[in-house]
Amino acid sequence: MDWGNVTAEDLVDALREVDWSSPPRPVSEFFHRFTFPRSLAKWDSRVKCNLYYYRTNYFIMIVFILGIGFLRKPLAIIAAILTGLSIAFLNDSFAVTFNEKVTRAVRQISPHLAAKMRPPVVPVIRGRPSVKRAIHICGRPRWIFVLIFSAASCILWITSCRLLTVLLALLIGLIAMLLHASFRTPNLKARLNTFREEFRAVWRNYSEL
């Protein structure tokens, strides 16, 4: 895959749709080999490849930096967790998996309540959905939970510490992620993983036809 031809919008869409349930890459692999990119085009391609391949590691690293910066403030740690969840809900795979696990847990307690948590049925015309099926969590649109968790995290951030401190910790996490993505040499596993994800995407589109 030529990452130089991938736009930022394509990368965001891929990160939103790709499965995030896979475990993070091993630490030994994450910090294995670093080199300077030979050109600006090589740097651009490397950053996009690493952001896609090490997405779970970067997500954990940013949440960890936010949490480690506020160890003496429990509300700030809760705010960091809520912030991570609000971002994770934007990913289709995570939202669907989270909804299935919550529904399964509720079904064991109250099957009637679990039935109400099912997403609305999308009408099918000529074997195809009439509209693109939206992601639902607990029977409600995903964006409702994103707004609720984001608002709750913002309130906790403001009440537990200064906003400038939060922005500084977040900036440190983003800079650390960018530095790693810029100098970590993409390995063969990253390339093979990219080809595998491309095949899955093509197969998924083919099966929907």
Side-chain angles (χ1 to χ4, degrees):
M1 181 176 183
D2 186 5
W3 285 97
N5 296 328
V6 176
T7 63
E9 183 180 358
D10 294 334
L11 180 61
V12 171
D13 290 339
L15 292 174
R16 180 177 59 83
E17 297 176 359
V18 75
D19 184 11
W20 282 57
S21 60
S22 58
R25 311 297 174 185
V27 178
S28 58
E29 177 185 343
F30 190 63
F31 295 104
H32 177 59
R33 183 184 179 188
F34 295 90
T35 58
F36 285 93
R38 298 180 180 178
S39 63
L40 182 61
K42 291 287 186 180
W43 172 82
D44 180 68
S45 177
R46 176 183 295 186
V47 168
K48 293 173 183 177
C49 179
N50 286 333
L51 285 177
Y52 184 82
Y53 183 68
Y54 294 109
R55 54 187 179 272
T56 307
N57 297 73
Y58 293 144
F59 178 77
I60 295 175
M61 182 177 66
I62 291 177
V63 174
F64 177 77
I65 291 176
L66 287 174
I68 205 71
F70 307 100
L71 283 178
R72 297 181 179 180
K73 300 179 179 180
L75 288 179
I77 297 178
I78 297 176
I81 296 175
L82 292 179
T83 301
L85 283 175
S86 62
I87 297 175
F89 281 146
L90 297 175
N91 177 259
D92 296 349
S93 176
F94 181 87
V96 172
T97 303
F98 180 85
N99 177 66
E100 291 176 351
K101 291 183 178 180
V102 171
T103 305
R104 191 179 301 114
V106 173
R107 187 182 295 116
Q108 296 177 357
I109 302 174
S110 175
H112 179 69
L113 180 60
K116 294 183 179 180
M117 295 170 58
R118 294 176 181 175
V121 179
V122 178
V124 178
I125 301 177
R126 296 181 180 179
R128 297 183 181 181
S130 57
V131 294
K132 185 177 180 179
R133 187 172 182 177
I135 304 298
H136 285 71
I137 301 175
C138 299
R140 298 292 183 268
R142 168 176 52 182
W143 61 267
I144 294 180
F145 284 83
V146 174
L147 289 179
I148 292 176
F149 278 75
S150 299
S153 62
C154 288
I155 294 173
L156 291 177
W157 282 127
I158 295 174
T159 56
S160 61
C161 53
R162 295 180 180 179
L163 183 60
L164 183 61
T165 306
V166 178
L167 294 178
L168 180 61
L170 182 60
L171 181 62
I172 293 174
L174 292 177
I175 291 177
M177 178 186 69
L178 182 60
L179 288 176
H180 182 277
S182 299
F183 297 107
R184 175 63 173 91
T185 305
N187 53 16
L188 181 59
K189 287 184 178 180
R191 297 186 177 93
L192 292 177
N193 181 76
T194 300
F195 294 142
R196 184 169 61 252
E197 295 294 346
E198 285 181 337
F199 175 79
R200 289 177 178 174
V202 172
W203 180 258
R204 181 171 61 251
N205 294 333
Y206 174 79
S207 62
E208 291 177 354
L209 297 177

